[in-house]
Amino acid sequence: MMLPRGWYKTSEISVWLLSDKLDQAIGKSHVLYGRSLRIIAHEDLVNSGRLLCWHPDEENLYTLLQLSWAQNSSELCHAPPIVEMQGSFQDFLDYTEAEQLSD
């Protein structure tokens, strides 16, 4: 899988740490509550806080999340992550390409 410029495959350790915080941040009223998600990539976690998640129960469904809490902190913000985009992997590539063109 070829990721856009500025995106990185998430290490197993980071997936484990981020998944735990993500599970805590997604409350019952969140659109992703109860859905199976796997974090597969991230943008610069220090400055951006965006994750690309894959839905293993769906053939080609991905969600781009904007985190509302600091990844390098053990604290959990009560604000849930924001869904920026949901669709196929190609939709994700198109979305990030359009962002880069507008910068």
Side-chain angles (χ1 to χ4, degrees), residues 9 14 25-26 30 41-42 50 56 63 72-74 76 82 86 90 93 95-96 99 102:
K9 185 175 188 242
S14 292
I26 294 176
H30 197 277
H42 63 275
R50 296 198 310 170
T63 300
N72 57 358
S73 166
S74 62
L76 177 66
I82 298 164
Q86 194 167 38
Q90 186 59 53
L93 294 175
Y95 183 85
T96 55
E99 284 183 323
S102 69

Side-chain angles (χ1 to χ4, degrees), residues 18-26 37 39 53 65 67 69 81:
L18 289 168
S19 292
D20 185 51
K21 287 177 77 172
L22 188 58
D23 287 344
Q24 293 175 47
I26 294 176
L37 294 174
I39 300 167
C53 299
L65 294 174
L67 303 178
W69 33 265

Side-chain angles (χ1 to χ4, degrees), residues 36-84:
S36 179
L37 294 174
R38 282 200 193 136
I39 300 167
I40 61 166
H42 63 275
E43 202 172 24
D44 176 8
L45 287 176
V46 174
N47 297 315
S48 165
R50 296 198 310 170
L51 303 175
L52 178 63
C53 299
W54 171 58
H55 296 253
D57 299 338
E58 304 282 335
E59 186 171 329
N60 187 24
L61 183 61
Y62 296 82
T63 300
L64 175 59
L65 294 174
Q66 173 68 55
L67 303 178
S68 56
W69 33 265
Q71 304 77 271
N72 57 358
S73 166
S74 62
E75 293 181 32
L76 177 66
C77 178
H78 295 288
I82 298 164
V83 175
E84 278 192 42

